[in-house]
Amino acid sequence: MLDSLITVTHVYKSVTDSSGTLTILRDIDFSLSAGETLAIVGASGSGKSTLLSLMAGLDTPTQGAVRVAGQDLFSLSEDQRAQVRAQHMGFVFQSFQLMANLTALENVMLPLELSGRSGIVATATAMLQRVGLGERLKHYPKVLSGGEQQRVALARAFVMKPPILLADEPTGSLDHATGETILNLMFELNQELGTTLVLVTHDERVAARCQRRLIIEAGQQIQAPENQDGRVVGQAR
């Protein structure tokens, strides 16, 4: 077993308001090695997206720890967590989250520019060509289809060659054929770049393509079924 790239240790998440305390996640505990693919599955409202936000250090747990590349995210300042995300993570969202005032090429160039890379036009162009958008470089998001916008988002996420890609329902707003195309690209890039891929999904077909799965029910991790390689992520505590 390779050293863990991501370790989630006994994570709880609760929120309190005037009506009382709501527990969103309860004792989530698992780890992932470099290059592995994991599906986080469960019904809407089960806590999947909250768990992804905790893994990214975008939200803080009530209890427990998350380590990325050996660093305890919640022992760091927000600026330090942002630096970890910039160094280690790419993101793909159901809503695409492209910059409307930037072309496809400029959207993909943006993280390269922010990181001070050189040769950013050529690098971004090559990644857009890789996802089949070589002829759409100068188009703005509003004139791109949903599938094309998701390909731009995918290119933007992968252009930095992140060790980890976190994707929240990346095909949820796409038709079946377009969604399959996006999934194929994600898994091809996972293989080519060795990226650890974490997908939040309620779609069994999507989950079946991952090496491992974590099932969340009402905020609680349950026994995960064995899949092709016979491994499970963990058990309920």
Side-chain angles (χ1 to χ4, degrees):
M1 184 69 172
L2 297 175
D3 290 340
S4 296
L5 180 60
I6 305 170
T7 304
V8 177
T9 306
H10 301 299
V11 161
Y12 290 73
K13 178 64 179 181
S14 301
V15 293
T16 302
D17 59 19
S18 58
S19 63
T21 299
L22 172 65
T23 298
I24 301 172
L25 293 171
R26 183 189 303 275
D27 203 9
I28 308 298
D29 192 86
F30 67 94
S31 62
L32 284 172
S33 297
E36 289 194 304
T37 57
L38 169 70
I40 301 175
V41 300
S44 296
S46 60
K48 305 186 304 296
S49 294
T50 298
L51 176 56
L52 202 71
S53 293
L54 291 169
M55 292 171 68
L58 294 169
D59 196 1
T60 56
T62 307
Q63 182 180 328
V66 176
R67 288 184 174 273
V68 173
Q71 298 182 82
D72 181 351
L73 290 183
F74 304 108
S75 68
L76 305 176
S77 68
E78 178 51 46
D79 285 346
Q80 289 171 324
R81 288 199 295 272
Q83 188 174 20
V84 171
R85 286 192 291 272
Q87 291 175 345
H88 296 284
M89 299 179 186
F91 299 89
V92 178
F93 302 96
Q94 181 177 345
S95 58
F96 315 138
Q97 297 194 3
L98 300 177
M99 302 291 289
N101 62 327
L102 300 181
T103 65
L105 179 61
E106 290 167 342
N107 265 283
V108 179
M109 287 170 54
L110 185 59
L112 294 166
E113 188 172 12
L114 291 174
S115 68
R117 302 283 182 92
S118 60
I120 62 175
V121 175
T123 302
T125 299
M127 185 56 71
L128 282 165
Q129 290 171 338
R130 175 66 186 81
V131 300
L133 292 178
E135 297 181 356
R136 306 287 268 170
L137 302 179
K138 297 182 180 180
H139 290 73
Y140 290 90
K142 66 180 180 181
V143 299
L144 298 174
S145 69
E148 288 172 331
Q149 290 184 60
Q150 192 62 299
R151 291 188 197 193
V152 175
L154 191 59
R156 182 183 59 187
F158 270 107
V159 75
M160 296 290 293
K161 298 184 177 180
I164 301 164
L165 181 71
L166 305 177
D168 193 356
E169 300 283 6
T171 62
S173 60
L174 305 176
D175 62 74
H176 175 74
T178 304
E180 283 295 305
T181 299
I182 294 299
L183 281 175
N184 288 340
L185 285 167
M186 293 182 74
F187 282 96
E188 287 170 14
L189 290 167
N190 156 258
Q191 289 294 311
E192 290 174 14
L193 302 177
T195 299
T196 299
L197 179 61
V198 181
L199 293 174
V200 163
T201 184
H202 62 270
D203 189 331
E204 176 59 31
R205 294 176 300 109
V206 176
R209 298 189 62 170
C210 292
Q211 295 168 324
R212 302 172 69 181
R213 75 180 70 195
L214 173 66
I215 302 174
I216 305 291
E217 287 188 3
Q220 200 158 12
Q221 176 178 336
I222 68 169
Q223 174 68 47
E226 293 187 358
N227 46 23
Q228 291 183 356
D229 60 7
R231 288 178 296 167
V232 296
V233 175
Q235 300 180 9
R237 302 291 172 179

